[in-house]
Amino acid sequence: QVQLVESGGDSVQPGGSLRLSCAASGDRFSAFHMAWFRQAPGKEREGVSWIHWSGGLTLYADSVKGRFTISRDNAKKILYLQMNTLKPEDTAMYYCAATEDTRWARLGSDAYKYWGQGTQVTVSS
């Protein structure tokens, strides 16, 4: 079992940057594949980025590729999402999630058992 708490959301102007963090409690953080999802008002939750438990494999949604970077520090039990060149369409509640599934790549939200409460990112001029 793992508890997840996101932080780092804020309001920024287009072109700005933010770094989201997801702090985990529990002993098995390094055993979980992790992901960031986001949900904008009136839209379905969508996967943004996925990372293997080792941190050595990562994937991104096409909409954020080249702008966002996912990483993890298993010793500190923290998941990160560095977001650069933010656009208004990045505005959403961002969630981190952990899965016990043996697969890790581009899983949908149904595969994730553990979720944080979310952190709001607003990109607006």
Side-chain angles (χ1 to χ4, degrees):
Q1 189 171 355
V2 64
Q3 289 78 44
L4 305 171
V5 179
E6 302 95 334
S7 62
D10 204 345
S11 294
V12 297
Q13 293 187 339
S17 297
L18 283 174
R19 187 175 81 159
L20 305 184
S21 298
C22 171
S25 61
D27 296 332
R28 297 179 56 240
F29 176 73
S30 61
F32 292 100
H33 302 315
M34 302 291 295
W36 286 98
F37 285 80
R38 68 185 181 186
Q39 187 166 21
K43 295 188 177 181
E44 292 187 357
R45 189 169 296 188
E46 64 172 350
V48 174
S49 185
W50 298 261
I51 188 166
H52 189 268
W53 68 264
S54 67
L57 298 171
T58 59
L59 284 171
Y60 300 91
D62 288 344
S63 58
V64 306
K65 194 177 299 181
R67 300 188 298 120
F68 289 12
T69 302
I70 190 172
S71 61
R72 64 190 296 166
D73 186 328
N74 284 341
K76 294 182 179 179
K77 295 188 287 186
I78 301 178
L79 175 73
Y80 299 101
L81 185 67
Q82 177 67 44
M83 305 187 296
N84 297 328
T85 320
L86 282 161
K87 303 176 181 180
E89 51 264 43
D90 295 318
T91 295
M93 186 72 78
Y94 283 71
Y95 301 89
C96 64
T99 182
E100 296 175 310
D101 199 308
T102 55
R103 303 165 298 165
W104 72 275
R106 299 193 188 280
L107 302 183
S109 58
D110 289 349
Y112 292 83
K113 182 176 181 180
Y114 304 105
W115 293 84
Q117 83 291 347
T119 187
Q120 178 67 39
V121 172
T122 302
V123 185
S124 174
S125 55

